[in-house]
Amino acid sequence: MKKAKMILDKAFKVGDVDNRLYGSFIEHLGRAVYNGIYEPNHPLADENGFRTDVMELVKELNVPIIRYPGGNFVSNFFWEDSVGPIEERKPRLELAWRSLEPNTFGLGEFAKWTDKVGSKPMMAVNLGTRGIADACNLLEYCNHKGGTKYSDMRIKHGKKEPYDIKLWCLGNEMDGEWQLGKKTMDEYGRLSEETAKAMKLIDPSIELVSCGSSFMDMPTFPQWEATTLEYNYDYVDYISLHQYYGNLNNDSSDYLAKSDDMETFIKTVVSTCDFVKAKKRSKKTINLSFDEWNVWFHSKEEEKDITTNHPWQVAPPLLEDHYNFEDALMVGLMMITLLKNADRVKIACLAQLVNVIAPIMTEVGGKSWRQTIYYPFLHASKYGRGTVLQPLTDTPQHMTCEHGMVDDIVSVAVFNEEKEQITVFAVNRNLEEDLELNLDIRSFDNYKINEHIVMTNNDLKAVNSSEKEDVYPVSVDVPQADDGKTSVVLKKASWNVICFGKK
Ligand code: AHR
């Protein structure tokens, strides 16, 4: 068996994990809201129409922030339509996904739902078809105590205390051809600068996310980041990154190598932020909000067909990717990549949460179930809180078509000092060979392996469904540690969570 070696030391600190790294996303898109989290006629719906079975699955993931209401949807979002008495709200044509938005679920309902699942909203403002005034009005409605037009409107709507939303996105993917009201980098730079300035006058306690490029292969990347930050640097706190991967060529080795591209993407955005910092002689550091990340490619044809040929439906089945086992490995690899960069990536949102490119799926009137990708995210959220340690890894490599030689093992470790736990997350992305991993945790006295959780499958294309959840993690036997050194087997094509605790 091929061998690999990993040394872990308390001194190899990357940074503390910001819990918001385990954020997610609910957009008014497809069946995310309607017939997803909100289905008043479902037997398990509560008095608000929220599906309690879905809430349980969300709670299990322990998601601290949820981005809302878009996504592309936000670029033509008229927030006033989504508040006040439900019976007085009017449906509207939703242009981003060419659907019908009934507005029976809006801002107030979302705030209530996030509260119930133990999360907080990460709100986005419309900088596509609207602008500064509208962003200010919405912020006043949400965060101002009372005695003004919009704060009193909120109170009249039954919410006395402010929503006090702390994190705001300044639009969405404003460089994209598909975006309503797309902008050039100079237009967006100016608009985001002035919007951010005004919003911070209303509530200086908020944090703001400036739109970065829609994905790394956008033609204006990374000039977009440099130019827009030159305008808004003093007023914003984070810049966004979005990236989705897919196995479009059905080349699984190459597909799993794409997490290396994500690493390059993050490093380039960090350098660009720091370039602008240097240029401005600024003391302030802009951090990263990777607020859309996932696998997305399975459902592209259906999406095109529905939006082109069957528009203006309420909650059409859009972006319902049915994830397989290799997609779970990819999500695990992306999660590891985010953790490895926890010194600069402070916020991340798995896009999305329910039914739309999601870990959680629902049937109308029926069951809810976990997709394959649910598990790596669950494990990271559960065990990945603390301080990130960079393992020193000596790993064999394998050849891929587009990415050349890549490492078999991609890994990261998180030390939770309070709980006296160390967790190693590792993917063996070699699809042919198991590996023996020798772990040396030299500086951790009296620690031993408590658990080794593994997700593996002989069929890379195996999927879960409402009928059967065949792809799930299992705990395997753990060897006894000897002098802080121990060996485990990382099966070919596997997701591994190796947990150490005090003896
Ligand atoms: O998450 C789905 C879509 O992907 C979002 O609406 C958009 O921001 C991105 O292109």
Side-chain angles (χ1 to χ4, degrees):
M1 198 186 295
K2 283 210 278 187
K3 290 195 188 325
K5 200 172 163 184
M6 181 183 289
I7 301 171
L8 265 188
D9 196 296
K10 272 184 195 152
F12 303 167
K13 271 189 192 161
V14 175
D16 289 338
V17 178
D18 186 318
N19 287 338
R20 294 173 302 172
L21 208 62
Y22 303 112
S24 190
F25 180 24
I26 288 282
E27 177 167 3
H28 279 250
L29 194 186
R31 299 193 305 119
V33 173
Y34 306 105
N35 290 338
I37 61 175
Y38 177 72
E39 193 185 333
N41 294 327
H42 193 278
L44 297 175
D46 69 6
E47 69 285 6
N48 304 293
F50 305 158
R51 274 185 68 159
T52 51
D53 56 335
V54 177
M55 287 199 288
E56 285 314 309
L57 289 172
V58 174
K59 276 197 246 171
E60 195 182 8
L61 290 177
N62 194 5
V63 181
I65 47 158
I66 304 180
R67 189 162 168 255
Y68 179 83
N72 296 337
F73 172 84
V74 81
S75 289
N76 197 35
F77 176 48
F78 286 73
W79 64 268
E80 304 90 327
D81 296 348
S82 84
V83 294
I86 293 178
E87 54 295 353
E88 287 171 24
R89 297 185 204 163
K90 299 277 184 289
R92 210 178 167 115
L93 291 184
E94 196 292 291
L95 302 187
W97 305 100
R98 303 191 77 217
S99 306
L100 193 72
E101 171 53 56
N103 279 313
T104 48
F105 184 104
L107 175 53
E109 289 73 30
F110 184 69
K112 195 179 267 179
W113 182 82
T114 44
D115 204 38
K116 282 189 172 251
V117 296
S119 190
K120 298 246 183 275
M122 173 188 193
M123 194 72 195
V125 298
N126 175 357
L127 292 190
T129 58
R130 301 182 101 181
I132 307 173
D134 170 58
C136 290
N137 297 345
L138 174 58
L139 179 60
E140 183 183 311
Y141 181 90
C142 291
N143 285 14
H144 196 68
K145 231 170 143 16
T148 64
K149 175 170 171 177
Y150 292 104
S151 56
D152 284 350
M153 186 192 279
R154 182 197 69 239
I155 294 168
K156 197 167 148 223
H157 291 162
K159 184 75 175 71
K160 188 164 182 304
E161 293 307 318
Y163 289 115
D164 200 22
I165 298 174
K166 292 292 183 209
L167 191 57
W168 293 78
C169 304
L170 296 165
N172 178 68
E173 298 188 348
M174 299 307 309
D175 58 339
E177 189 49 49
W178 57 90
Q179 203 66 222
L180 284 151
K182 76 160 176 153
K183 307 275 183 281
T184 66
M185 42 192 134
D186 289 294
E187 285 168 348
Y188 179 72
R190 287 280 298 125
L191 179 60
S192 57
E193 175 188 16
E194 295 306 317
T195 309
K197 187 202 291 180
M199 288 177 78
K200 287 214 167 160
L201 286 172
I202 295 173
D203 183 352
S205 75
I206 59 171
E207 289 191 305
L208 296 172
V209 184
S210 181
C211 278
S213 299
S214 295
F215 50 93
M216 195 171 87
D217 287 340
M218 287 300 284
T220 48
F221 175 77
Q223 188 60 53
W224 173 278
E225 281 70 6
T227 302
T228 55
L229 282 177
E230 284 198 27
Y231 284 104
N232 64 25
Y233 199 93
D234 292 340
Y235 301 106
V236 305
D237 304 280
Y238 306 93
I239 187 154
S240 73
L241 295 83
H242 291 180
Q243 190 70 53
Y244 297 96
Y245 292 116
N247 190 0
L248 282 163
N249 300 329
N250 200 16
D251 177 340
S252 302
S253 267
D254 206 68
Y255 173 40
L256 299 179
K258 289 181 184 176
S259 61
D260 294 3
D261 301 339
M262 188 182 187
E263 179 79 33
T264 308
F265 187 17
I266 292 173
K267 293 282 190 269
T268 311
V269 176
V270 167
S271 325
T272 310
C273 291
D274 293 349
F275 162 76
V276 181
K277 176 180 183 173
K279 205 168 165 194
K280 287 189 168 284
R281 316 286 191 258
S282 177
K283 293 211 175 343
K284 174 179 168 184
T285 299
I286 299 288
N287 284 317
L288 276 49
S289 171
F290 214 124
D291 46 44
E292 286 189 35
W293 68 273
N294 202 348
V295 169
W296 172 17
F297 75 109
H298 295 285
S299 62
K300 291 271 182 186
E301 285 305 313
E302 288 96 318
E303 174 194 322
K304 204 167 153 207
D305 179 48
I306 293 174
T307 53
T308 313
N309 304 318
H310 311 281
W312 318 131
Q313 301 178 60
V314 175
L318 284 169
L319 280 67
E320 299 205 3
D321 271 37
H322 204 169
Y323 293 117
N324 58 31
F325 170 63
E326 67 182 8
D327 297 328
L329 294 180
M330 189 61 203
V331 163
L333 285 162
M334 293 178 87
M335 193 72 246
I336 289 174
T337 309
L338 292 168
L339 280 165
K340 278 165 76 176
N341 291 283
D343 55 333
R344 295 300 291 271
V345 183
K346 299 292 169 189
I347 299 164
C349 303
L350 175 68
Q352 299 191 11
L353 189 55
V354 179
N355 287 332
V356 172
I357 42 173
I360 299 167
M361 297 299 286
T362 72
E363 292 175 327
V364 180
K367 288 187 197 165
S368 51
W369 52 279
R370 297 170 182 85
Q371 294 239 49
T372 59
I373 63 164
Y374 186 91
Y375 295 104
F377 186 78
L378 170 74
H379 294 150
S381 175
K382 190 168 173 189
Y383 301 103
R385 312 225 181 194
T387 304
V388 175
L389 303 178
Q390 178 62 61
L392 200 65
T393 312
D394 185 9
T395 167
Q397 296 191 316
H398 61 274
M399 184 53 92
T400 61
C401 265
E402 305 273 325
H403 292 80
M405 290 297 279
V406 300
D407 290 348
D408 288 355
I409 298 178
V410 179
S411 63
V412 74
V414 179
F415 175 41
N416 189 322
E417 197 163 6
E418 204 184 318
K419 291 190 174 164
E420 300 186 316
Q421 278 175 357
I422 314 158
T423 305
V424 174
F425 300 102
V427 173
N428 177 3
R429 56 181 177 176
N430 186 321
L431 306 178
E432 311 295 332
E433 292 179 78
D434 297 350
L435 284 169
E436 186 185 319
L437 175 68
N438 183 269
L439 284 149
D440 176 351
I441 56 165
R442 46 175 64 183
S443 68
F444 292 95
D445 283 341
N446 278 322
Y447 275 77
K448 66 169 180 55
I449 299 190
N450 284 336
E451 198 175 10
H452 180 181
I453 305 168
V454 181
M455 246 177 111
T456 186
N457 205 293
N458 289 330
D459 180 5
L460 290 173
K461 310 293 181 193
V463 295
N464 288 344
S465 69
S466 65
E467 300 307 317
K468 57 174 179 57
E469 292 189 28
D470 281 350
V471 186
Y472 57 87
V474 292
S475 282
V476 296
D477 287 343
V478 291
Q480 289 312 308
D482 178 18
D483 294 340
K485 288 192 185 150
T486 185
S487 287
V488 293
V489 173
L490 303 186
K491 293 274 189 201
K492 63 181 181 186
S494 63
W495 160 255
N496 301 269
V497 183
I498 304 159
C499 308
F500 295 83
K502 275 269 187 193
K503 275 183 194 159

